[in-house]
Structure formats: structure tokens, C-alpha cells
DNA sequence: CTATGGCACGGATT
DNA sequence: AATCCGTGCCATAG
């Protein structure tokens, strides 16, 4: 066996390669199961509590970025800070004592709402706060609104109201946005706030919801117009915007098969495999990318076990040696998996920075093949690394990693914008020429397809938008 | 005659 | 090798 050149991680055997490949394609949830399994049946493997920063090797205290690295790294403004981040177990209902929780089918795809939300926010909560968050989430009514008062929660946990409010705020800002609000009004306000980060919203919407809520629900538009001193037409347009884009019952948009088929809001219930955040909310501050590792602590070979092998009886020795082999293989594969994902994300985030910060309009159509040559790995490696994984963006949206490789999302978004601002229903061929002026060359037929994807009606059915009363 | 959706083909992507 | 996607052609609706 030859080693042509020495790498950080060198592939040793075919078994190694095979396992690396399978580990690479696993999501955090699946990986957690895999590690649990390996840990329970291989005595040579050990999980030690203390953690070391994967970048600089210093021991880490709390979860989150290593202070040393992130500060040191952020000097380089071009590259995002990327690191592998150990995470505590997200499961809130079972204490760590019960480690296997019917681990067979505990995939993250079909979580209930509380679990789903908790997974999003738990990274930024202290351990004690997670309990409170879980309590809040379990106190929701079926619409996703809070069924008990904030004060009673504070009393229950013997903590100040302000702390509960802070946690509740985190919950309402998670997907589905507005969940956990105390009222429909609050839910709408939060949604509006989040929405305004990515698109422009009617100027009056906020004030209208905040002060005229009961009139809105009773559809007394003329009275609202009088109260706010604007024309009734403006009121109606704003209300239209509200009913179209906001959802008074956060939980229903995903759970109740209300309204549109779930195609429209293709939310995926996953804990994120990768979390992208921005430390300050400044748009120029570097992005922080965390590759989520589903265990807290460091996985390594148990040194005691290793030395014990020496003095083992003959028959045991072989078996134990085998365990040792497997353990080191497993650790190496795990490292390589993280290494690959890390390299990929580092490059991906720099290239798609505009998309991450400013929305889908700025998504660059990149292909997996491109990254394969870029990182000098096989295409299938990238495929494996991308498939099934999910990313949490700074705006808390959780999107599939595949979205980063959507070849037409940017055009579709521009198309959506054009249509939403059209004065007059534009036909497909007209849309083609408008897109052309913006640098997008697509065929007429393709525009039709994009419309279909975004479920936008054809031009002749699109007029009912702003009809005068 | 114009606008749109269906089917199918070829090239790119996985 | 299998799949996805953009596009051209044609039928149909208005």
C-alpha cells in the first residue's frame, strides 16, 4: 500500500473510504444515532467531556465559538469564520440518562412543533432557559399561540418576567415565525418584522396592526382610513398585503392543512446541520459558520482500553484489537466528514454571501461540479455532503442546503418581484424582455415554467389584485 | 392571432 | 447511468 502524498487525513483502506462516504451523507440527527450506537457497542471508543476548539486546540468552556479563534480569524475579512461546533443534545423531553429513545425511528423529519422550534433556538439559550422554552412550547394552543400568561410562567420557574419575555422573543422569531406569541396581533407584528428584513412591506402595515387590529378583523376599512388619515384604498391594499403574507395562526401554516398545499411553503422540519450567524447585526461583520456536531465533548480512543489490550488474554486480544481498529477508523472518518463539510462551507459561504445576507435574489447559480473541481474532490463527494443537509441562515430560516445550488432561484425571485410590482398584468413574452434588460436570458416557455414553480397565475387571471370598490 | 400549457428531446448535472 | 432542466413545437383556449 502506497501513500503518494501525505494529507491531513489519509485514506487507509477501502473500508475507510466506504465509511467516510456514508458518514458524509448523514445529517446531524442520523449522525447522532450512529455515534450513540458506536459508542454503546464499542468499548474502545470514549467520549470525554472537555472540549477543544477544533481550530486552535484550546479547551472550550461554554458552547459557541472559541473566543480566541473567532477574534483571531475575523481579521481576515474575506473569509467567513468556520468551525465545528459541538452541540448539546437537542432532545428536550428525555434526560441524558435515557440515551436511546427508540433511536430507530427518531429521525428529525417528523418532529412535532415544540421539538422543531426548540432545535432552532436552543443553540442560543442557556441550559436553564431551554427548560423554560420547552415549557412555553408545550403551553401553546393548537394555533401556535401562547395559552398561558407570561407572568404565570415566570412565577412557575421563579424567574423575572423579563427573562421569560426574552426567551419568548426568541421563540416567536423562529420558524414558524410568530409561534408562541400571546395574541394574534403580536404574532402578526413579529411576522411583519421578520418579513421586512428581506422584502419591503407597506409603510402603514405595522401601525395598522398595532392600533387597529380589531377593526381589521371586522373589516371596517373606512373607519381605519379615518383613524389613520389615509385613503380607504391604501387601507385595503395594506390589508390585502397582510392577509396574503402574514398568518394569524402560526402553527396552522404547517400543521393544519389549511390554505395552499404545502408546496408553497416548503419548510423542512430538520434541525440544522449547519448554522450561519452574524455576530453583530452589522451587514459588514463577518459571517460565522458552525458545522453542528451532535455530541458535546470529544470523541477519542479510550487510552485505558488501549493499554488493557496489551495484557489481555489471547482469545480476547483479537476481539479487542478489532474494536480498537474500528474505533480509530470511526474517529478518523468522522474527522474527515467534518473536514469535507467545513471546506465546502467555507467556500460556499464566501461565494453565496450575498444570498445569505440579502435574500434569494442574489443567489448565484453554482453547481456541485464546480465545487468538486474547486476543492479537488470527486463530484459525488459534494453530492453526498449536500444531500439531505439543512442550513440555518442568520434570519433563522432553515433551508435545505440544496437550495444553494438552485440554478434558477435568483431568476425566479426577480420574476416574482417584477410581477408583484407590475402595474398591468404582463404576459410571459413581455416578462422575457424585461428580464433581458436585467441580464437574464431565458426563453418564453421557461418563464411560464418559473411562474408555475412559484405558483403565479397566468397574466389573464392575474388582474384581481387591486380592484376599486 | 396571442397567450399558455403539454409533451418530448438534448444537453447538463448528479 | 439516471435525472433534472431549459427549450422548441404544437394544440388549445380566449
Amino acid at each position: 500500500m502506497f501513500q503518494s502524498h501525505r494529507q491531513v487525513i489519509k485514506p487507509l483502506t477501502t473500508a475507510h473510504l466506504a465509511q467516510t462516504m456514508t458518514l458524509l451523507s448523514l445529517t446531524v440527527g442520523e449522525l447522532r444515532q450512529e455515534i450513540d450506537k458506536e459508542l454503546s457497542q464499542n468499548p474502545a471508543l470514549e467520549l470525554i467531556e472537555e472540549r477543544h476548539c477544533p481550530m486552535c486546540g484550546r479547551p472550550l468552556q461554554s458552547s459557541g465559538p472559541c473566543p480566541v479563534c473567532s477574534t483571531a480569524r475575523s481579521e481576515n475579512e474575506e473569509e467567513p469564520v468556520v468551525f465545528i461546533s459541538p452541540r448539546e443534545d437537542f432532545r428536550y423531553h428525555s434526560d441524558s440518562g435515557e440515551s436511546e429513545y427508540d433511536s430507530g425511528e427518531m429521525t428529525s423529519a417528523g418532529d412535532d412543533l415544540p421539538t422543531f422550534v426548540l432545535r432552532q433556538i436552543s443553540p442560543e439559550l442557556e441550559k436553564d432557559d431551554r427548560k423554560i422554552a420547552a415549557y412555553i412550547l408545550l403551553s401553546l394552543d393548537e394555533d401556535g399561540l401562547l395559552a398561558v400568561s407570561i407572568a404565570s410562567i415566570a412565577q412557575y420557574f421563579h424567574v423575572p418576567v423579563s427573562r421569560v419575555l426574552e426567551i419568548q422573543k426568541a421563540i416567536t422569531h423562529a420558524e414558524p415565525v410568530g409561534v408562541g406569541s400571546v395574541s394574534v396581533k403580536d404574532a402578526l407584528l413579529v411576522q411583519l418584522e421578520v418579513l421586512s428584513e428581506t422584502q419591503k412591506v407597506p409603510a402603514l402595515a405595522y401601525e395598522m396592526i398595532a392600533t387597529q387590529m380589531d377593526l381589521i378583523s371586522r373589516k371596517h376599512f373606512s373607519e381605519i382610513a379615518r383613524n389613520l388619515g389615509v385613503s380607504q384604498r391604501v387601507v385595503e391594499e395594506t390589508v390585502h398585503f397582510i392577509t396574503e403574507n402574514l398568518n394569524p395562526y402560526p402553527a396552522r401554516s404547517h400543521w393544519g392543512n389549511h390554505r395552499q398545499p404545502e408546496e408553497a411553503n416548503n419548510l423542512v422540519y430538520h434541525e440544522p446541520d449547519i448554522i450561519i450567524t452574524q455576530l453583530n447585526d452589522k451587514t459588514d461583520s463577518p459571517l460565522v459558520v458552525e458545522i453542528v456536531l451532535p455530541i458535546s465533548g470529544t470523541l477519542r480512543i479510550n487510552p485505558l482500553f488501549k493499554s488493557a489490550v496489551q495484557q489481555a488474554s489471547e482469545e480476547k486480544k483479537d476481539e479487542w484489537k478489532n474494536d480498537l481498529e474500528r474505533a480509530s477508523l470511526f474517529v478518523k472518518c468522522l474527522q474527515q466528514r467534518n473536514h469535507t463539510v467545513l471546506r465546502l462551507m467555507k467556500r460556499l459561504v464566501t461565494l453565496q454571501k450575498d444570498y445569505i445576507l440579502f435574500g434569494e435574489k442574489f443567489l448565484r447559480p453554482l453547481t456541485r461540479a464546480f465545487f468538486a473541481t474547486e476543492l479537488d474532490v470527486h463530484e459525488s463527494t459534494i453530492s453526498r455532503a449536500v444531500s439531505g443537509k439543512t442550513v440555518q441562515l442568520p434570519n433563522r430560516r432553515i433551508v435545505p442546503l440544496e437550495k444553494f445550488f438552485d440554478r434558477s432561484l435568483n431568476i425566479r425571485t426577480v420574476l416574482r418581484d417584477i410581477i408583484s410590482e407590475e402595474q398591468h398584468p404582463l404576459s410571459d413574452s413581455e416578462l422575457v424582455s424585461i428580464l433581458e434588460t436585467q441580464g437574464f436570458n431565458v426563453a418564453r416557455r421557461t418563464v411560464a415554467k418559473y411562474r408555475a414553480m412559484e405558483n403565479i397565475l397566468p397574466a389573464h387571471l392575474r388582474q384581481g389584485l387591486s380592484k376599486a370598490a
Side-chain angles (χ1 to χ4, degrees), chain A residues 341-359:
Chain A
V341 177
L342 189 141
R343 286 210 306 151
L344 171 64
M345 288 313 295
K346 194 181 232 174
R347 199 78 189 96
L348 187 59
V349 167
T350 45
L351 288 173
Q352 298 287 29
K353 190 171 183 179
D354 286 345
Y355 158 62
I356 293 162
L357 293 177
F358 308 120

Side-chain angles (χ1 to χ4, degrees), chain A residues 231-275:
Chain A
S231 76
Q232 182 158 344
R233 184 191 150 82
V234 173
V235 172
E236 278 173 20
E237 276 173 6
T238 311
V239 169
H240 179 261
F241 174 87
I242 291 170
T243 54
E244 278 304 301
N245 295 288
L246 308 183
N247 182 348
Y249 307 107
R252 283 192 197 167
S253 60
H254 315 289
W255 303 92
N257 22 349
H258 223 38
R259 283 180 28 123
Q260 298 148 0
E262 56 205 283
E263 284 287 4
N265 38 16
N266 54 340
L267 254 257
V268 192
Y269 286 92
H270 270 308
E271 62 182 306
D273 296 276
I274 294 144
I275 300 177

